Amino acid sequence: MHIAEGFLPPAHAIAWGVASAPFVVHGVRSLTREVKEHPESTLLLGASGAFTFVLSALKIPSVTGSCSHPTGTGLGAILFRPPIMTVLGTITLLFQALLLAHGGLTTLGANVFSMAIIGPWAGYAVYKLLKRYEVPLMVAVFFGAFVADLSTYCVTSVQLALAFPDPSSGFLGALGKFGGIFAVTQIPLAVSEGLLTVLVMRLLVQSSKGELTRLGVLLQSKGTRPGTRTEKSEATEDAGAPGKPAKSEASRTSETGAST
Amino acid sequence: MNRNTKINILLVVIVVALAVLPLALGLGDHKDEPFAGADAQAETAITEIEPDYEPWFTPLYEPPSGEVESALFALQAAIGAGVLAYYFGLRRGRRQGAERARAQEADAARSGGEAKDTRSRTEQV
C-alpha cells in the first residue's frame, strides 16, 4: 500500500497531507494522555507498535502471484483505539520512508490516511460492531484485523485511481486496475493478519489479563464483574475456538483439560 | 502440550501455509516477474495509464543495493520482534514471580495451620 515517493501529483499529495494532519495531531494528544494517566501501558503500547513494525516488514507471497505485506494496525486499534494507532502507524511509515525508500515523504499523507487512519478506524468499527452482537472476542478480533488490513489497500487503490484516472474508462477503470493489484492480492494476507492478531491477542489474554480488562477488551465480553476472573478467562478461551473453524473440532476434544 | 499451545501452533501453521502455498503451486509462473511487490506493480500501472508521468520528488536516502534494502527490512522486523519478545518474556517472568510468592505465602500459612485449601488453589492458578 506504500505509494512510492513522488508518485502522487503535488495537489493530491498536499490534499492527503492536510486530510491526515488533524488525525495525527489528535492521535499524539491521545497518546500522551494515555502515557501520562497510565504509565504502565507504555509496555503494551510498545508491543503494539512492534507488531506493526514486524508485519509491515514482511512481504508475503499471495495467490495473485505477487507479494504484499500486512499492516498490523488492527491490534493497536482494538487495544488502544484508533487515534493512538494512527501515531504508531505514522512512525512505522516514517521509518520506511526515510530509511528504506519505501513509500515517501511526499506520499506520507496519503499512506498515513490509508494505513494509519482508515485501516484502524474500519477495523475498530467492525470489532466494536461484532462485540455489540456478542460475537466471541477472538472472532471479533479476527474480523477487526482482517478489515483493518484489507480496507487499507482499498483506500490506496482509490487514492491512485483518483490521481490517475484511466484515459478511456476513467476513475472506475483505474480503480479496477489498482484494485486488482492491491485489494485482490491482499485478501489472503488479510486472513493471515487476522490469524496472527488472534494469536497475539490469545497470548495477551494469558499474560496481561489485568491490562486487557482495564482497556475494556476483556470486561465487555460477558458483562462479568472484575471479581470473577476465572470464569471470564474460561469464557475467552472458549471464544478462541470458533475463530478458526478448521480446527475448532479437534481442539474441542481436549477442552476439559484446558488450563489457565 | 495443552490445548492453548496446540491452538497457537495451529494458527502459525495456517499462516505459514497461506504464504507457502502460492509459491509451491507456482501461482506466479504466468508473470514476467513472479512474486514482485504490489507496490512496484502499482508504479508500472501508473506509467501505463500516464506514460508521461515523472515522479517529481526522489527519496532523500535510497539503499544502494537490494542487499542493503533487505538488511534494513530485516532490521525493521528484528526490532519489532525483539520488542514483542521482551514484552511477553517480561510478563511471563512477572507472572511466575507472583505465583512463586503466592506459593511461599501458602507454605508459610500451612505451617501456621489451616493452609491446605489455599495451597491447592495456588497450584491450580
Side-chain angles (χ1 to χ4, degrees), chain A residues 164-177, chain B residues 49:
Chain A
F164 301 99
D166 195 271
S168 52
S169 51
F171 169 76
L172 285 178
L175 186 63
K177 193 166 194 167
Chain B
I49 291 177

Side-chain angles (χ1 to χ4, degrees), chain A residues 1 26 30 33 53 67 90-91 102 117 119 124 126 145 153 163 183 187 191 199 210 216 244 255 257:
Chain A
M1 42 65 63
H26 174 230
S30 313
R33 199 185 323 128
F53 244 62
C67 278
T90 305
I91 293 169
H102 200 61
I117 296 172
Y124 183 73
V126 167
Y153 281 80
I187 292 171
V191 172
L199 174 68
K244 317 102 224 165
E255 194 154 311

